[in-house]
Amino acid sequence: MRNIATLQDLTGTWALITGGAGHVGTAAADTLLELGCNVILLDRDQTLLERALSSLHFAHGKNVFSVQCDLACKQSIHRAVDEVADISSNKLNVLINNAAFVGTDELKGWAVPFEQQNINTFDDCLNVNLSAPFLLAQKCIPLFKNTDSPLKSIVNVSSIYALVGPQMAMYEGTNLGNPAAYAASKAGLMQLTTWLSSVVAPTIRVNNLVLGGIFRNQDSAFLAQYTARVPLARMATEEDVKGAFAYLCSQMSNYMTGQSIVLDGGWTAI
């Protein structure tokens, strides 16, 4: 029987992380690099990619790479997977679909009352949050097949709002909101996880990481209302996600597929 250290050892393996230049993406990358994995960060923002790459290089050495890609563009996804294949010698062990359309840009009809939410923005959100993970998984299957390692894992990053509706009173008096498109896309991603898990088995495992709110210096009124509803009485930090990524992206979770780990401080438990 192998020990825990052996099951967690990712030496020589390759991982692709979308949204790799963001907070959660870099936490995932930091985790996998610490376990010996070669990591490819995928993001649309070249400046943020270079910043993340520099930070991770400083912490872990040179086994981290980057690919610029706009997940709203199918042609860009095709080109990105080709670039990933060149970097990794046509091999992949882990795909983390972490990137999400969350409305940080100037968007029409996003964080507004339901009657004002824009159908085109809704469609754009589903394209990035749901269609892109579908296409990435599909295009990466040949890379998974090219590796002799038993580790082949897809991890989709979803949200508590795939499971429950929002408590809109929390957003009153703030510049924050909770669009229908985000919830619908993340719920779809959870079902895509379930569907894929049976289709790509037994060689590839597919699981879902469901995240609650993560602290980002949010409006103090929102923060107070949010934490009051969490049994652990706080929002998550990037460090809180590292254990889940270590588990789902290693052979620690060898007998787990089609499942969700909910990391929300107990939000959905009450």
Side-chain angles (χ1 to χ4, degrees):
M1 181 182 295
R2 291 176 291 175
N3 59 26
I4 296 296
T6 301
L7 291 170
Q8 284 188 329
D9 186 7
L10 300 181
T11 302
T13 62
W14 285 90
L16 172 62
I17 304 173
T18 73
H23 296 283
V24 173
T26 53
D30 185 69
T31 303
L32 301 193
L33 286 163
E34 186 178 338
L35 297 176
C37 189
N38 301 291
V39 172
I40 303 171
L41 309 176
L42 185 148
D43 211 295
R44 66 176 179 175
D45 191 316
Q46 185 61 39
T47 300
L48 290 179
L49 267 176
E50 291 173 0
R51 188 180 304 163
L53 200 65
S54 176
S55 175
L56 291 167
H57 271 157
F58 179 79
H60 299 284
K62 297 186 179 298
N63 55 335
V64 55
F65 309 84
S66 68
V67 172
Q68 186 177 18
C69 176
D70 182 359
L71 294 179
C73 174
K74 294 178 178 61
Q75 291 78 13
S76 183
I77 294 174
H78 285 282
R79 289 194 298 270
V81 174
D82 288 341
E83 191 172 345
V84 168
D86 288 340
I87 293 170
S88 68
S89 301
N90 292 301
K91 296 179 180 180
L92 196 66
N93 302 88
V94 175
L95 168 63
I96 301 177
N97 282 311
N98 165 66
F101 187 97
V102 295
T104 53
D105 298 322
E106 293 295 325
L107 300 168
K108 181 179 179 181
W110 179 253
V112 294
F114 175 61
E115 298 92 325
Q116 301 169 29
Q117 292 181 27
N118 186 278
I119 186 61
N120 294 322
T121 301
F122 186 97
D123 291 342
D124 290 342
C125 179
L126 264 65
N127 190 34
V128 171
N129 289 11
L130 185 55
S131 298
F134 167 88
L135 183 57
L136 277 164
Q138 187 180 62
K139 296 297 293 182
C140 287
I141 292 297
L143 305 186
F144 279 106
K145 290 182 177 179
N146 279 340
T147 178
D148 294 328
S149 169
L151 175 60
K152 299 178 178 70
S153 176
I154 297 174
V155 179
N156 294 322
V157 179
S158 187
S159 163
I160 55 173
Y161 292 116
L163 299 172
V164 297
Q167 300 183 40
M168 297 305 293
M170 289 194 312
Y171 302 98
E172 292 178 3
T174 77
N175 61 352
L176 302 171
N178 196 304
Y182 182 78
S185 65
K186 289 301 188 178
L189 188 60
M190 287 191 70
Q191 180 55 31
L192 179 62
T193 299
T194 304
W195 187 89
L196 273 177
S197 68
S198 67
V199 172
V200 300
T203 55
I204 303 172
R205 298 183 296 106
V206 191
N207 291 294
N208 194 52
L209 178 57
V210 182
L211 297 181
I214 298 178
F215 181 69
R216 298 275 188 270
N217 294 310
Q218 286 92 341
D219 180 282
S220 59
F222 169 82
L223 187 60
Q225 293 187 73
Y226 188 96
T227 55
R229 291 168 167 82
V230 181
L232 294 187
R234 65 177 178 87
M235 299 188 82
T237 67
E238 274 70 41
E239 185 177 280
D240 290 325
V241 308
K242 293 187 68 174
F245 279 121
Y247 178 70
L248 292 173
C249 297
S250 73
Q251 292 188 69
M252 289 281 290
S253 54
N254 264 350
Y255 200 57
M256 182 178 184
T257 195
Q259 305 303 313
S260 292
I261 290 180
V262 181
L263 200 67
D264 66 355
W267 176 276
T268 56
I270 58 173

